[in-house]
Coordinates of all heavy atoms in Angstrom, one line a residue:
E566 N 22.3 40.3 -11.9 CA 22.7 41.7 -11.8 C 24.2 41.8 -11.7 O 24.8 40.9 -11.0 CB 22.0 42.4 -10.6 CG 22.4 43.9 -10.5 CD 21.4 44.5 -9.3 OE1 21.7 44.2 -8.2 OE2 20.6 45.2 -9.7
L567 N 24.8 42.8 -12.4 CA 26.2 43.1 -12.2 C 26.4 44.4 -11.5 O 25.8 45.4 -12.0 CB 26.9 43.1 -13.6 CG 28.4 43.4 -13.5 CD1 29.2 42.4 -12.7 CD2 29.0 43.5 -14.9
E568 N 27.2 44.5 -10.5 CA 27.4 45.7 -9.7 C 28.9 46.0 -9.8 O 29.7 45.1 -9.5 CB 26.9 45.5 -8.3 CG 27.2 46.7 -7.4 CD 26.7 46.3 -6.0 OE1 25.5 46.2 -5.7 OE2 27.6 46.2 -5.1
I569 N 29.3 47.2 -10.2 CA 30.6 47.7 -10.3 C 30.8 48.9 -9.4 O 30.0 49.9 -9.6 CB 31.0 48.0 -11.7 CG1 30.7 46.8 -12.6 CG2 32.5 48.3 -11.8 CD1 30.9 47.1 -14.1
T570 N 31.7 48.9 -8.4 CA 31.9 50.1 -7.6 C 33.3 50.5 -7.7 O 34.2 49.7 -7.8 CB 31.5 49.8 -6.1 OG1 32.3 48.7 -5.7 CG2 30.1 49.5 -6.0
M571 N 33.5 51.9 -7.7 CA 34.9 52.4 -7.8 C 34.9 53.9 -7.2 O 33.8 54.5 -7.2 CB 35.3 52.5 -9.2 CG 34.6 53.5 -10.1 SD 34.5 53.2 -11.8 CE 33.1 52.1 -11.9
E572 N 36.0 54.3 -6.7 CA 36.2 55.7 -6.3 C 36.7 56.5 -7.4 O 37.9 56.1 -8.0 CB 37.0 55.8 -5.0 CG 37.1 57.2 -4.5 CD 37.8 57.3 -3.2 OE1 38.3 56.2 -2.7 OE2 38.1 58.4 -2.7
I573 N 36.0 57.5 -7.9 CA 36.4 58.2 -9.2 C 36.1 59.6 -9.0 O 35.2 60.1 -8.3 CB 35.6 57.5 -10.3 CG1 36.1 57.9 -11.7 CG2 34.2 57.6 -10.1 CD1 35.6 57.1 -12.8
S574 N 36.8 60.4 -9.9 CA 36.6 61.9 -9.9 C 37.1 62.4 -11.3 O 37.7 61.6 -12.1 CB 37.3 62.6 -8.8 OG 38.7 62.6 -9.0
S575 N 37.0 63.7 -11.5 CA 37.6 64.2 -12.7 C 39.1 64.4 -12.5 O 39.7 64.0 -11.5 CB 37.1 65.6 -12.9 OG 35.6 65.6 -13.0
E576 N 39.8 65.0 -13.5 CA 41.3 65.3 -13.4 C 41.5 66.7 -13.9 O 41.4 67.0 -15.1 CB 42.1 64.2 -14.2 CG 43.4 64.6 -14.6 CD 44.3 65.2 -13.4 OE1 44.0 64.8 -12.3 OE2 45.2 65.9 -13.6
A577 N 41.8 67.5 -13.0 CA 42.2 69.0 -13.3 C 43.7 69.2 -13.0 O 44.2 68.5 -12.2 CB 41.3 69.9 -12.5
P578 N 44.3 70.2 -13.6 CA 45.6 70.5 -13.1 C 45.6 70.8 -11.7 O 44.7 71.7 -11.2 CB 45.9 71.7 -14.0 CG 45.1 71.6 -15.3 CD 43.8 71.0 -14.7
F579 N 46.4 70.3 -10.8 CA 46.3 70.4 -9.4 C 45.0 69.8 -9.0 O 44.7 68.6 -9.0 CB 46.5 71.8 -8.9 CG 47.9 72.3 -9.3 CD1 48.1 73.1 -10.4 CD2 49.0 71.9 -8.6 CE1 49.4 73.6 -10.7 CE2 50.3 72.4 -8.8 CZ 50.5 73.2 -10.0
A580 N 44.0 70.7 -8.4 CA 42.7 70.1 -8.0 C 41.7 71.3 -8.2 O 42.0 72.4 -8.1 CB 42.7 69.7 -6.6
N581 N 40.5 70.8 -8.5 CA 39.4 71.9 -8.8 C 38.1 71.2 -8.5 O 37.7 70.3 -9.3 CB 39.5 72.4 -10.2 CG 38.6 73.6 -10.4 OD1 37.6 73.8 -9.7 ND2 39.0 74.4 -11.3
D582 N 37.4 71.6 -7.4 CA 36.1 71.0 -7.1 C 35.0 71.2 -8.2 O 34.1 70.5 -8.3 CB 35.6 71.5 -5.7 CG 36.4 70.9 -4.6 OD1 37.4 70.2 -4.8 OD2 36.2 71.4 -3.4
N583 N 35.2 72.2 -9.0 CA 34.3 72.6 -10.1 C 35.0 72.3 -11.4 O 35.4 73.2 -12.1 CB 33.8 74.0 -9.9 CG 32.8 74.3 -10.9 OD1 32.1 73.5 -11.5 ND2 32.5 75.6 -11.2
W584 N 35.0 71.0 -11.8 CA 35.8 70.6 -13.0 C 35.0 69.4 -13.6 O 35.4 68.3 -13.5 CB 37.2 70.3 -12.7 CG 38.0 70.1 -13.9 CD1 38.3 69.0 -14.6 CD2 38.8 71.2 -14.6 NE1 39.1 69.2 -15.6 CE2 39.5 70.5 -15.7 CE3 38.9 72.5 -14.4 CZ2 40.3 71.2 -16.6 CZ3 39.8 73.2 -15.3 CH2 40.4 72.6 -16.3
P585 N 33.8 69.7 -14.3 CA 33.0 68.6 -14.7 C 33.7 67.8 -15.8 O 34.5 68.3 -16.6 CB 31.8 69.3 -15.3 CG 32.2 70.7 -15.6 CD 33.3 71.0 -14.6
S586 N 33.4 66.5 -15.8 CA 34.0 65.6 -16.9 C 32.9 64.5 -17.1 O 32.4 63.9 -16.3 CB 35.2 65.0 -16.4 OG 35.8 64.1 -17.3
D587 N 32.7 64.2 -18.4 CA 31.8 63.2 -18.9 C 32.6 61.9 -19.1 O 33.4 61.7 -20.0 CB 31.2 63.6 -20.2 CG 30.3 64.9 -20.1 OD1 29.8 65.2 -19.0 OD2 30.2 65.6 -21.1
I588 N 32.3 61.0 -18.1 CA 33.1 59.7 -18.0 C 32.2 58.6 -18.6 O 31.1 58.5 -18.1 CB 33.6 59.4 -16.7 CG1 34.4 60.6 -16.1 CG2 34.4 58.1 -16.6 CD1 34.8 60.5 -14.6
T589 N 32.7 57.9 -19.5 CA 31.9 56.9 -20.2 C 32.4 55.5 -19.8 O 33.6 55.2 -19.7 CB 32.0 57.0 -21.7 OG1 31.5 58.2 -22.2 CG2 31.2 55.9 -22.5
F590 N 31.5 54.5 -19.6 CA 31.8 53.2 -19.2 C 31.3 52.2 -20.3 O 30.2 52.3 -20.8 CB 31.1 52.8 -17.8 CG 31.4 53.8 -16.8 CD1 30.5 54.8 -16.5 CD2 32.5 53.8 -16.0 CE1 30.8 55.7 -15.4 CE2 32.8 54.6 -15.0 CZ 31.9 55.6 -14.7
T591 N 32.2 51.3 -20.5 CA 32.0 50.3 -21.6 C 32.3 48.9 -21.0 O 33.4 48.7 -20.4 CB 32.8 50.5 -22.9 OG1 32.6 51.8 -23.4 CG2 32.5 49.5 -24.0
L592 N 31.4 47.9 -21.4 CA 31.7 46.6 -20.9 C 31.6 45.6 -22.1 O 30.5 45.6 -22.8 CB 30.8 46.1 -19.8 CG 31.0 44.8 -19.1 CD1 32.3 44.7 -18.4 CD2 29.9 44.3 -18.2
N593 N 32.6 44.8 -22.4 CA 32.5 43.9 -23.6 C 32.2 44.6 -24.8 O 31.3 44.1 -25.6 CB 31.6 42.7 -23.3 CG 32.0 42.0 -22.1 OD1 33.2 41.9 -21.8 ND2 31.1 41.3 -21.4
D594 N 32.7 45.8 -25.1 CA 32.6 46.6 -26.2 C 31.1 47.1 -26.4 O 30.7 47.7 -27.4 CB 32.9 45.9 -27.5 CG 34.4 45.5 -27.6 OD1 35.2 46.3 -27.1 OD2 34.7 44.3 -28.0
I595 N 30.3 47.1 -25.2 CA 29.0 47.7 -25.3 C 29.0 48.9 -24.4 O 29.4 48.8 -23.2 CB 27.9 46.7 -24.7 CG1 28.0 45.4 -25.5 CG2 26.5 47.3 -24.8 CD1 27.5 45.5 -27.0
K596 N 28.6 50.1 -24.9 CA 28.6 51.3 -24.2 C 27.4 51.2 -23.2 O 26.3 51.1 -23.6 CB 28.4 52.4 -25.1 CG 28.4 53.8 -24.3 CD 28.1 55.0 -25.3 CE 28.0 56.3 -24.5 NZ 27.7 57.4 -25.4
L597 N 27.8 51.3 -21.9 CA 26.8 51.3 -20.8 C 26.2 52.6 -20.6 O 25.0 52.7 -20.2 CB 27.4 50.8 -19.5 CG 28.1 49.4 -19.5 CD1 28.8 49.1 -18.1 CD2 27.0 48.3 -19.8
G598 N 26.9 53.7 -20.8 CA 26.4 55.0 -20.5 C 27.5 55.9 -19.9 O 28.6 55.5 -19.8
S599 N 27.1 57.2 -19.6 CA 28.1 58.1 -19.1 C 27.6 58.7 -17.8 O 26.4 58.8 -17.5 CB 28.3 59.2 -20.1 OG 28.9 58.7 -21.3
W600 N 28.6 59.3 -17.1 CA 28.3 60.0 -15.9 C 29.1 61.2 -15.8 O 30.3 61.1 -16.2 CB 28.6 59.1 -14.7 CG 28.6 59.9 -13.3 CD1 27.6 60.4 -12.6 CD2 29.8 60.1 -12.5 NE1 28.0 61.0 -11.5 CE2 29.4 60.8 -11.4 CE3 31.2 59.8 -12.7 CZ2 30.3 61.2 -10.4 CZ3 32.1 60.2 -11.8 CH2 31.6 60.9 -10.6
T601 N 28.6 62.3 -15.4 CA 29.4 63.6 -15.3 C 29.9 63.8 -13.9 O 29.1 64.1 -13.0 CB 28.6 64.8 -15.7 OG1 28.1 64.6 -17.1 CG2 29.4 66.1 -15.7
S602 N 31.2 63.6 -13.8 CA 31.9 63.9 -12.5 C 31.9 65.4 -12.3 O 32.2 66.2 -13.2 CB 33.3 63.4 -12.5 OG 34.0 63.9 -11.4
P603 N 31.5 65.9 -11.1 CA 31.5 67.3 -10.9 C 32.8 68.0 -10.6 O 33.0 69.2 -10.9 CB 30.6 67.5 -9.5 CG 30.9 66.1 -8.8 CD 31.0 65.1 -9.9
G604 N 33.9 67.3 -10.3 CA 35.1 67.9 -10.0 C 36.3 67.0 -9.7 O 36.1 65.7 -9.6
D605 N 37.4 67.6 -9.4 CA 38.6 66.9 -9.0 C 38.9 67.4 -7.6 O 39.3 68.6 -7.4 CB 39.8 67.2 -9.9 CG 41.0 66.5 -9.5 OD1 41.0 65.6 -8.6 OD2 42.1 66.8 -10.2
F606 N 38.8 66.6 -6.5 CA 38.6 67.0 -5.2 C 39.9 67.1 -4.4 O 40.7 66.2 -4.5 CB 37.6 66.2 -4.4 CG 36.3 66.2 -5.2 CD1 36.0 64.9 -5.8 CD2 35.5 67.2 -5.2 CE1 34.7 64.8 -6.5 CE2 34.3 67.1 -5.9 CZ 33.9 65.9 -6.6
G607 N 40.1 68.2 -3.8 CA 41.3 68.4 -2.9 C 41.2 69.6 -2.1 O 40.4 69.6 -1.1
G608 N 41.8 70.7 -2.5 CA 41.6 72.0 -1.8 C 41.9 72.0 -0.3 O 41.2 72.6 0.5
G609 N 43.0 71.3 0.1 CA 43.4 71.2 1.5 C 42.8 70.1 2.3 O 43.2 69.7 3.3
N610 N 41.7 69.5 1.8 CA 41.1 68.4 2.5 C 41.7 67.0 2.0 O 41.4 66.6 0.9 CB 39.5 68.3 2.2 CG 38.8 69.5 2.8 OD1 39.1 70.0 3.9 ND2 37.9 70.1 2.0

Side-chain angles (χ1 to χ4, degrees):
E566 186 172 70
L567 177 62
E568 178 184 292
I569 307 170
T570 56
M571 71 203 87
E572 186 175 355
I573 190 169
S574 72
S575 308
E576 160 51 26
F579 297 101
N581 190 334
D582 290 358
N583 184 20
W584 191 267
S586 183
D587 299 333
I588 302 172
T589 299
F590 305 99
T591 302
L592 186 67
N593 298 334
D594 297 323
I595 304 296
K596 180 181 175 181
L597 299 175
S599 299
W600 165 72
T601 300
S602 169
D605 182 9
F606 307 106
N610 295 318

